[in-house]
Amino acid sequence: MVILDLNIKTIDTDVLIIGGGTAGCFSALTIAENSNLQVVIVDKANIKRSGCLAAGVNALNAYIGKGETPESFVEYVKKDSEGVIREDLVYTIAKRLNKVTKKLEDLGLPILKDENGEYIQRGKRSIKINGENIKPILAEAIVDKDTINILNNVNIIDYLVESGEVKGAIGFSINENTIYEIYAKKTICATGGAAGLYKPNNPTFSKHKMWYSPFNTGAGYAMGIRGGAEMTSYEMRFIALRCKDTIAPTGTIAQGIKIVQVNSQGEEYVKKYGKPTTHIRLYATVMENLKGNGPCFLKTEGISSEEERELFKAYLNMAPAQTLKWLERNTGPLSKNVEIEGTEPYIVGGHTASGYWVDRDRKTTLQNLYAIGDVAGGSPKKYVTGCLAEGEIAAMSIIATIGDSEFDKLSEIEKNEKIDYISKFFHNDKSLYSIKDVEEAMQKAMDEYAGGISMAYRYNKTKLRIAAERIEELLSIADNLKANNLRQLLSIFEVIDRLYVCKVLIRHLEAREETRWRCYQENTDYPQKDNENWNKYVNSVYKDGKVQIIFRGLVGRDKIYEHTN
Ligand SMILES: Cc1cc2nc3c(=O)[nH]c(=O)nc-3n(C[C@H](O)[C@H](O)[C@H](O)COP(=O)(O)OP(=O)(O)OC[C@H]3O[C@@H](n4cnc5c(N)ncnc54)[C@H](O)[C@@H]3O)c2cc1C
């Protein structure tokens, strides 16, 4: 039997940032540039190439372009999201988008410019970049800061929380036998969204060829759920419309060179299904396939060789598999239309609205805890720059309010419970099931009963109840999994976190008794949008093992929502 002896290291700091990705790094930088506060930033990977930006991106998709304003940005997000967004949050982001873009350029990000020195726009709200190195650029900006201590390869598993107050977090190193207990006056959660909940597009060794970062496994959501934080809009899942098999973005082609979607008969089909919002473009594709009109394509045949070369380059910047596929098959978008498909659903607050329920400062409902980036809810279409904006907002709020706050330690009993919980997986008797068994059973249950790809994203109450039962069973099986090394321990916590996210997601899907966002939330018991009853947020709090649903009224652009109700 393998039992690892785990050492315990305790660290005290002013600010703890969990997740050194886009939002986390920028928040740390803002704090370092505007205060002397001590910051510890913890990442399960190495911040140089961690999270969504690991492979690079080729555009900044949230920017106030020529002729646009922060107000028009809010209107765009509201329309695209069928009216249910936190306008106040989107507005605070919109007002900062161009400022954080400039800061990113000053840090060294190459932004493409025209002959007048103006940024080249890819659309009204998107600009072109050479973003292969965007993550190393962000990481380099903070590595040498005296006030920032970076802990790479440490996986945080839970907050240190008592009576609704977050006192820090606990986790373990993936490389050394060490448990880290980190106390902080303020904690920021920036762990990104949740991938791997549903059965993915590709099987076996290609299963991680998915749209969202496969290493963002919903840890921040799960910690918040277990700690009793209010969550919002999990039912607004995100499903990406992508190039088939490579799961490379389609926007690079569709927006970059203005290309339309066609079905197998060459017909432009999206307009048959309504205004071409993000989710309608996906829904139209799913419907055409169901009607037997698939496969569907981006009509690239006949573009110029110059445009083809640009696409080869653009994909090398952020989804090299697509360029390699073309080259390997000796073809390209000029001679062959690009086939498209929907991915499995994700929970990601940077594209849709799922995540922590926060106020304008990005404070969560747990005391001393902030949430930023993809893990924070209410404000879809944040993308890279929106995440930076939220990092800045939380940082400035902390600097303004931290004052003389004291460290407040967890009681010995509570602390030891957490430490025992981490080590128990080494002591568990050999489980009948492997970690992979549990992961695949979860993904199958979610796919078949909670609206995955194989069900054309549809579900109903009866199916959701079955999904809920399966997830509950899997949670108890997961509790008995056996770890033989630190890698396996990490995988166990990743699957447990995803099961918690599934549990909350299923309740949210059940609670919204309408269909508001086609495919993202396709409830066959209530197949129509119902503005009269459902122009509201579905929120939840996890208490005593149950997900309790709370409904909240919409918050307008200039309204001040500060956790008062
Ligand atoms: C494939 C893809 C392409 C995209 N393309 C574009 C684009 O072209 N333009 C654009 O503007 N936006 C794009 N986006 C969106 C944008 O990249 C994200 O919204 C943004 O980067 C998310 O930032 P974040 O800080 O919330 O998460 P991330 O940057 O993913 O950071 C999360 C961090 O948390 C760490 N972490 C997770 N769990 C733990 C844990 N338990 N303990 C410790 N650390 C943990 C992770 O390792 C990671 O470093 C794209 C997203 C994806 C997935």
Side-chain angles (χ1 to χ4, degrees):
M1 189 191 289
V2 179
I3 297 180
L4 290 188
D5 230 355
L6 297 170
N7 310 309
I8 305 201
K9 261 193 197 161
T10 304
I11 297 177
D12 291 347
T13 184
D14 291 320
V15 184
L16 165 63
I17 300 180
I18 309 172
T22 319
C25 284
F26 200 75
S27 209
L29 179 65
T30 310
I31 294 173
E33 288 183 344
N34 293 282
S35 75
N36 294 320
L37 294 173
Q38 293 295 317
V39 175
V40 170
I41 185 161
V42 189
D43 202 284
K44 71 194 274 191
N46 185 308
I47 66 161
K48 190 169 177 193
R49 281 270 175 202
S50 65
C52 292
L53 296 184
V57 290
N58 74 336
L60 296 178
N61 286 336
Y63 182 78
I64 309 297
K66 277 212 191 85
E68 297 293 310
T69 59
E71 292 74 21
S72 68
F73 185 85
V74 176
E75 281 313 302
Y76 156 70
V77 178
K78 189 173 165 189
K79 261 202 202 117
D80 203 79
S81 309
E82 307 287 351
V84 180
I85 58 162
R86 281 278 303 274
E87 289 180 51
D88 58 334
L89 299 182
V90 179
Y91 196 37
T92 53
I93 286 175
K95 287 193 271 189
R96 282 176 172 77
L97 288 173
N98 292 15
K99 180 179 157 219
V100 296
T101 301
K102 177 73 179 62
K103 175 80 184 171
L104 210 45
E105 187 177 29
D106 293 344
L107 291 176
L109 179 75
I111 305 186
L112 306 194
K113 298 213 172 101
D114 63 18
E115 55 285 359
N116 302 319
E118 310 263 9
Y119 295 157
I120 299 181
Q121 291 195 209
R122 201 176 75 151
K124 287 182 184 174
R125 291 162 289 268
S126 177
I127 55 172
K128 293 186 180 184
I129 61 171
N130 279 339
E132 196 274 329
N133 272 325
I134 186 169
K135 190 67 214 290
I137 289 169
L138 265 175
E140 268 158 35
I142 60 168
V143 280
D144 291 331
K145 295 274 182 243
D146 292 339
T147 50
I148 300 178
N149 175 12
I150 299 165
L151 287 179
N152 284 317
N153 302 119
V154 171
N155 183 58
I156 295 295
I157 63 132
D158 250 327
Y159 298 125
L160 299 170
V161 56
E162 241 169 0
S163 313
E165 186 189 338
V166 171
K167 302 169 177 191
I170 187 162
F172 59 90
S173 163
I174 298 154
N175 298 331
E176 326 144 357
N177 299 344
T178 305
I179 289 180
Y180 282 89
E181 188 203 359
I182 307 165
Y183 287 97
K185 295 174 185 169
K186 302 282 176 194
T187 299
I188 300 179
C189 181
T191 51
L197 309 173
Y198 284 82
K199 194 169 173 182
N201 292 87
N202 293 311
T204 60
F205 61 86
S206 295
K207 70 179 181 171
H208 288 137
K209 187 174 275 306
M210 53 176 61
W211 169 72
Y212 200 65
S213 165
F215 311 105
N216 286 356
T217 48
Y221 295 134
M223 288 186 251
I225 292 165
R226 290 188 291 262
E230 187 167 334
M231 295 286 166
T232 190
S233 308
Y234 275 47
E235 77 282 9
M236 191 186 183
R237 305 175 298 175
F238 181 68
I239 299 158
L241 184 64
R242 286 296 178 264
C243 302
K244 183 143 176 16
D245 301 334
T246 61
I247 314 298
T250 49
T252 311
I253 300 175
Q255 275 189 23
I257 54 173
K258 307 260 183 302
I259 290 294
V260 296
Q261 292 171 219
V262 291
N263 62 20
S264 58
Q265 288 104 51
E267 181 195 5
E268 255 185 69
Y269 58 85
V270 177
K271 50 183 181 263
K272 289 196 285 188
Y273 298 91
K275 289 216 176 84
T277 53
T278 314
H279 57 102
I280 290 296
R281 280 194 288 269
L282 165 74
Y283 174 67
T285 307
V286 171
M287 292 305 289
E288 286 297 290
N289 274 298
L290 285 176
K291 287 179 184 169
N293 296 335
C296 295
F297 302 93
L298 289 174
K299 190 172 179 255
T300 53
E301 280 173 21
I303 59 171
S304 68
S305 342
E306 177 55 29
E307 284 171 327
E308 180 173 75
R309 249 194 322 278
E310 284 304 311
L311 285 178
F312 285 151
K313 272 201 288 183
Y315 280 107
L316 279 177
N317 258 329
M318 42 75 194
Q322 185 60 37
T323 302
L324 297 177
K325 182 178 168 186
W326 279 321
L327 298 182
E328 199 178 78
R329 297 186 179 175
N330 205 14
T331 175
L334 184 162
S335 52
K336 208 160 192 242
N337 289 338
V338 178
E339 191 177 342
I340 50 179
E341 66 178 349
T343 63
E344 76 276 22
Y346 306 96
I347 295 298
V348 46
H351 272 64
T352 47
S354 340
Y356 280 85
W357 181 244
V358 291
D359 69 7
R360 277 184 317 173
D361 284 344
R362 274 48 179 186
K363 285 191 204 113
T364 70
T365 54
L366 295 179
Q367 224 181 310
N368 298 329
L369 179 69
Y370 288 72
I372 55 175
D374 284 2
V375 84
S379 46
K381 302 207 171 278
K382 271 176 220 172
Y383 305 116
V384 170
T385 38
C387 291
L388 302 182
E390 289 202 321
E392 185 179 272
I393 293 168
M396 296 315 285
S397 165
I398 286 175
I399 293 169
T401 59
I402 197 163
D404 297 323
S405 316
E406 293 293 326
F407 292 109
D408 201 3
K409 301 256 160 134
L410 209 63
S411 70
E412 280 300 303
I413 302 173
E414 296 265 348
K415 190 182 93 178
N416 289 337
E417 265 178 21
K418 297 268 181 213
I419 292 169
D420 289 349
Y421 183 62
I422 296 177
S423 4
K424 87 170 203 154
F425 292 98
F426 292 117
H427 297 265
N428 276 346
D429 290 333
K430 191 171 169 10
S431 166
L432 282 177
Y433 303 96
S434 69
I435 305 164
K436 188 164 164 257
D437 292 339
V438 177
E439 182 187 49
E440 288 180 356
M442 168 189 67
Q443 292 177 340
K444 184 174 188 304
M446 293 302 286
D447 181 60
E448 293 174 359
Y449 296 109
I453 299 172
S454 73
M455 295 293 129
Y457 308 115
R458 297 164 180 180
Y459 58 85
N460 59 32
K461 188 169 269 187
T462 313
K463 285 189 173 203
L464 291 175
R465 296 253 157 103
I466 298 172
E469 276 171 29
R470 294 270 198 282
I471 296 301
E472 216 54 57
E473 280 166 19
L474 290 168
L475 266 167
S476 59
I477 291 173
D479 204 41
N480 291 313
L481 284 170
K482 165 90 183 146
N484 290 306
N485 54 47
L486 291 164
R487 278 274 147 198
Q488 288 181 0
L489 188 64
L490 172 69
S491 301
I492 291 174
F493 278 102
E494 287 179 341
V495 82
I496 290 175
D497 286 342
R498 282 182 282 168
L499 286 165
Y500 272 95
V501 177
C502 289
K503 192 168 159 143
V504 172
L505 165 58
I506 291 166
R507 274 297 286 130
H508 275 247
L509 289 172
E510 193 182 352
R512 186 172 282 281
E513 296 182 338
E514 62 157 354
T515 292
R516 178 155 297 262
W517 306 282
R518 289 275 168 218
C519 291
Y520 296 178
Q521 185 259 325
E522 192 75 49
N523 188 338
T524 54
D525 288 332
Y526 305 93
Q528 300 307 328
K529 187 158 97 172
D530 174 2
N531 277 337
E532 205 173 307
N533 296 302
W534 289 96
N535 252 329
K536 56 185 164 200
Y537 312 108
V538 174
N539 285 8
S540 65
V541 171
Y542 184 68
K543 209 171 167 204
D544 304 326
K546 295 230 158 15
V547 183
Q548 300 180 353
I549 294 291
I550 303 163
F551 297 113
R552 292 210 182 270
L554 296 185
V555 181
R557 198 177 73 198
D558 298 311
K559 276 261 173 62
I560 299 181
Y561 174 85
E562 308 295 347
H563 297 320
T564 46
N565 51 348

